[in-house]
């Protein structure tokens, strides 16, 4: 079981109501005349299908890739409840999947807030996967009034940002792209146990092996976490 399997039970699930970022993203795509109707799509790092299930309502077929089996199990439950049968699930990392699917091509390649792409080689494969590429990722900050003091105590920080990310790659290769920035503020309400598990998970992602006892002073009761972040949409 990888760390994303551990995250699955507390991870966001599909909601028929679009959140603000989804609304703004689809608005930007419409401006660029990008639609999902009857398209073959690959969704990389699809998670629980928070985005994929919206795309699947219009798509011809979606290949949904994720390395966490637990994420896909929740995804399948929601797809079944929506009676969507045009999704092909692949429980595999992007690197493993691309090795087995050289030359495969789609109308649209989609990735949202996933660490599946890590290297220039990954970016190159993503670029060649489809006619249209859509990427949502962290921009230059993510602040949490709950996690930041814990990160500071353990001498670490949120590590969702990479200087040599996909945008850096596109600029290096002089590839034109459309960019749109979102500023998001949201609140996450968690019971004490969930808050502890969330903090431990983030520390584990940073290679820090902490215990629940070490976090007791930060999580004495249920919490409401305020998260502020900047997210970028790249389309090319």
């Amino acid at each position: 079981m990888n760390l994303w399997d551990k995250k699955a039970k507390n991870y966001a699930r599909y909601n028929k109501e679009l959140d603000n970022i989804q609304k703004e993203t689809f608005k930007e795509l419409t401006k660029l005349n990008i639609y999902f109707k009857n398209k073959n799509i690959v969704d990389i790092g699809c998670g629980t299908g928070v985005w994929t299930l919206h795309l699947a309502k219009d798509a011809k077929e979606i290949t949904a890739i994720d390395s966490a089996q637990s994420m896909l199990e929740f995804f399948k439950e929601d797809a079944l409840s929506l009676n969507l049968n045009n999704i092909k699930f692949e429980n595999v990392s992007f690197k493993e999947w691309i090795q087995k699917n050289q030359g495969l091509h789609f109308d649209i390649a989609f990735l949202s807030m996933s660490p599946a792409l890590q290297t220039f080689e990954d970016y190159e494969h993503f670029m060649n996967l489809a006619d249209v590429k859509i990427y949502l990722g962290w921009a230059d900050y993510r602040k949490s009034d709950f996690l930041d003091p814990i990160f500071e105590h353990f001498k670490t920080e949120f590590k969702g940002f990479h200087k040599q990310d996909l945008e850096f790659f596109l600029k290096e290769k002089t590839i034109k792209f459309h960019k749109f920035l979102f500023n998001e503020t949201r609140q996450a309400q968690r019971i004490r146990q969930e808050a502890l598990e969330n903090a431990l998970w983030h520390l584990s992602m940073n290679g820090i092996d902490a215990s629940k006892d070490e976090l007791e002073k930060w999580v004495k009761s249920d919490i409401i976490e305020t998260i502020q972040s900047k997210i970028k949409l790249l389309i090319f």
Side-chain angles (χ1 to χ4, degrees), residues 43 46 63-69 72 76 87-93 97 100-101 104:
D43 187 352
C46 61
T63 299
I65 304 166
D66 204 282
S67 63
Q69 180 63 37
L72 292 179
K76 290 175 184 177
I87 305 169
K88 182 169 66 174
F89 300 94
E90 300 265 5
N91 180 211
V92 66
S93 72
W97 182 83
K100 298 175 183 177
N101 294 279
L104 204 58

Side-chain angles (χ1 to χ4, degrees), residues 13 53 72-82 89:
R13 297 279 291 268
L53 289 165
L72 292 179
E73 291 304 321
F74 289 124
F75 187 169
K76 290 175 184 177
E77 286 180 10
D78 291 337
L80 184 63
S81 70
L82 293 168
F89 300 94

Side-chain angles (χ1 to χ4, degrees), residues 10-206:
N10 295 322
Y11 200 75
R13 297 279 291 268
Y14 165 81
N15 190 322
K16 68 178 181 179
E17 300 295 332
L18 297 175
D19 63 27
N20 288 334
I21 288 180
Q22 289 174 323
K23 288 176 183 177
E24 291 300 316
T25 294
F26 287 127
K27 188 184 296 184
E28 284 299 302
L29 293 171
T30 299
K31 288 179 185 176
L32 298 173
N33 293 314
I34 296 172
Y35 303 96
F36 300 95
K37 187 73 173 178
N38 297 324
K39 297 295 174 61
N40 286 308
I41 301 168
V42 59
D43 187 352
I44 300 157
C46 61
T48 57
V50 171
W51 282 85
T52 332
L53 289 165
H54 287 287
L55 308 183
K57 293 174 184 178
D58 287 328
K60 180 179 180 180
E61 183 178 75
I62 295 186
T63 299
I65 304 166
D66 204 282
S67 63
Q69 180 63 37
S70 298
M71 291 279 191
L72 292 179
E73 291 304 321
F74 289 124
F75 187 169
K76 290 175 184 177
E77 286 180 10
D78 291 337
L80 184 63
S81 70
L82 293 168
N83 198 29
L84 290 170
N85 55 15
N86 59 340
I87 305 169
K88 182 169 66 174
F89 300 94
E90 300 265 5
N91 180 211
V92 66
S93 72
F94 179 67
K95 289 183 185 298
E96 292 168 329
W97 182 83
I98 208 73
Q99 287 173 359
K100 298 175 183 177
N101 294 279
Q102 294 286 344
L104 204 58
H105 196 77
F106 298 83
D107 297 312
I108 297 172
F110 183 89
L111 182 147
S112 170
M113 314 310 292
S114 168
L117 306 183
Q118 295 284 336
T119 66
F120 270 32
E121 183 180 17
D122 294 337
Y123 304 147
E124 193 82 45
H125 286 309
F126 182 69
M127 184 181 71
N128 294 325
L129 258 182
D131 300 327
V132 175
K133 283 74 63 176
I134 302 166
Y135 173 93
L136 279 153
W138 301 112
D140 59 359
Y141 70 85
R142 183 185 190 274
K143 301 174 184 177
S144 163
D145 61 354
F146 170 62
L147 287 175
D148 287 350
I150 296 174
F151 285 155
E152 184 178 357
H153 173 79
F154 286 95
K155 296 181 173 55
T156 189
E157 60 187 353
F158 178 73
K159 293 187 177 180
F161 313 109
H162 304 284
K163 289 183 179 179
Q164 295 189 341
D165 66 357
L166 178 61
E167 183 178 358
F168 179 90
F169 167 82
L170 294 174
K171 289 177 178 177
E172 283 283 296
K173 297 286 186 178
T174 63
I175 297 167
K176 291 183 180 179
F177 60 93
H178 177 82
K179 179 179 178 180
F180 187 85
L181 290 174
F182 307 94
N183 290 297
E184 180 188 48
T185 298
R186 62 185 176 90
Q187 290 189 321
Q189 189 168 352
R190 308 183 199 277
I191 63 171
R192 184 172 182 271
Q193 181 63 25
E194 288 176 351
L196 281 166
E197 289 176 357
N198 185 50
L200 288 169
W201 183 85
H202 277 281
L203 291 172
S204 294
M205 285 290 288
N206 291 4

